[in-house]
Amino acid sequence: HAGLLCDPASVEAMLRTDRAHFVPPLDPSARVSSTYAYGPYADSPQPLGHKVTISAPHMHAVALDALSERIRAPASRVLDVGSGSGVLLACMARIAPADATIVGVEIVAELVALSLANLRASGLRPNEPSPATDGTAATEPAVLVRHADGWSGAADLGPFDAIHVGAFAPTVPALLAEQLAPGGRMLVPIGEATRQSLVAIDRRADGSLVETALRRCRFVPLRRVPRVDVPAGAAESAPAPTTATDAPPQPPGGRAAL
C-alpha cells in the first residue's frame, strides 16, 4: 500500500503505536479462515469481539494522512466516532500537540473499558486529569473516551478541527458536521452497504461545507438510536446510545475493508 501514508508525523505515530496492545488474541472457539491474515501486524481488519473489528492498518494510514494537518494544529480538538480498541486515538495523540484534546466515542461499554486499558498499555493516560495541575504547560494531549451516541458526537467538547467516522452513513451526519470548526475536516464513508466512498468534508471560513470523494471503501453502518414507542401514560425511558461499532462484521470482520 505504498503511497497511502505520506505525512512524516503520521508515519512516526503509527510506528510508535504497537498494535499488539490493541488487537486481542483470537478466540479459540471462533471460526477462522485458513487463508485470512490474522494478527496485530496483518494489513486486514481484526476481530475485537462484540460484533466489532479493528480497521486494517492501511485504512488508519489513509485517515491519518487526510487529517494530520488539522490534528497537528495548535490546541487542536479531534473526534474519533466509533473508537473501538483505541488504536487510532493513540496514533492521533502522538501526532497532536501537547495542548490538544483527543476524544473517542464508543457505543459498547466493554470496549470503552478495553480501550482505556489498551491506551494505558501503550503509554498514554486517557480519562485522567491534565498533567498541568500546577498551572504549567501541558506535556501531552488530553485523551478522553466516552460511552456515547456516534450520530450525536460530543458537542460539549467541540468544535473539532478533525473528525474521523469509522462507519458509513447514507448522507453526511448533520450533527457531526455542525461540530466541525472553521477550517476543520471530517472524514466519513458515505453511501450504502455495497457501494461507499470515503469523503472529506471541509468547513470553509464562511461556514460552508465542501465535499471531496477520496476513494472507494467498505465500512459497516453507523447505527442510529433505535426508535422506542412508548404507550400513552407510560414513563418514557431513553434508549441506549449507539455509534458505529455495534454491527455485524464482514467476514472475518471489517469496519473498514477495501
Side-chain angles (χ1 to χ4, degrees):
H1 299 291
L4 289 180
L5 194 56
C6 302
D7 175 64
S10 299
V11 173
E12 182 182 359
M14 291 195 73
L15 290 174
R16 290 176 57 199
T17 302
D18 190 345
R19 285 175 66 89
H21 291 138
F22 299 89
V23 176
L26 277 177
D27 183 346
S29 65
R31 291 194 306 168
V32 297
S33 168
S34 60
T35 60
Y36 193 79
Y38 293 97
Y41 308 120
D43 192 21
S44 53
Q46 300 298 316
L48 186 56
H50 307 282
K51 299 180 181 179
V52 177
T53 61
I54 302 173
S55 295
H58 73 269
M59 286 306 303
H60 287 160
V62 169
L64 291 172
D65 213 50
L67 298 173
S68 178
E69 182 180 351
R70 277 81 175 179
I71 296 172
R72 290 188 283 110
S76 62
R77 290 184 174 268
V78 181
L79 176 64
D80 184 21
V81 175
S83 51
S85 71
V87 63
L88 191 57
L89 290 174
C91 292
M92 290 171 164
R94 291 187 166 111
I95 295 173
D99 56 355
T101 301
I102 314 295
V103 181
V105 294
E106 170 59 53
I107 179 53
V108 182
E110 293 86 350
L111 293 184
V112 173
L114 177 65
S115 66
L116 293 173
N118 292 344
L119 289 163
R120 291 178 184 122
S122 188
L124 299 170
R125 303 199 297 176
N127 289 16
E128 293 186 10
S130 169
T133 55
D134 58 357
T136 61
T139 58
E140 62 187 65
V143 179
L144 308 173
V145 185
R146 58 168 55 168
H147 185 211
D149 175 354
W151 281 90
S152 298
D156 59 311
L157 297 173
F160 295 98
D161 302 286
I163 300 176
H164 171 263
V165 184
F168 84 86
T171 58
V172 177
L175 291 179
L176 295 181
E178 289 175 6
Q179 295 170 37
L180 199 58
R185 169 173 286 186
M186 175 165 62
L187 200 64
V188 55
I190 300 295
E192 53 191 33
T194 58
R195 188 174 182 84
Q196 303 162 23
S197 293
L198 190 62
V199 178
I201 313 291
D202 293 305
R203 183 176 292 283
R204 292 174 170 170
D206 64 5
S208 62
L209 297 175
V210 178
E211 300 183 20
T212 305
L214 302 182
R215 61 186 296 142
R216 292 179 61 188
C217 61
R218 189 176 180 184
F219 287 73
V220 297
L222 182 64
R223 292 177 53 206
R224 296 183 182 275
V225 173
R227 178 182 175 85
V228 178
D229 294 321
V230 181
E236 184 173 352
S237 59
T242 184
T243 65
T245 58
D246 194 12
Q250 297 142 9
R255 203 184 252 144
L258 292 182

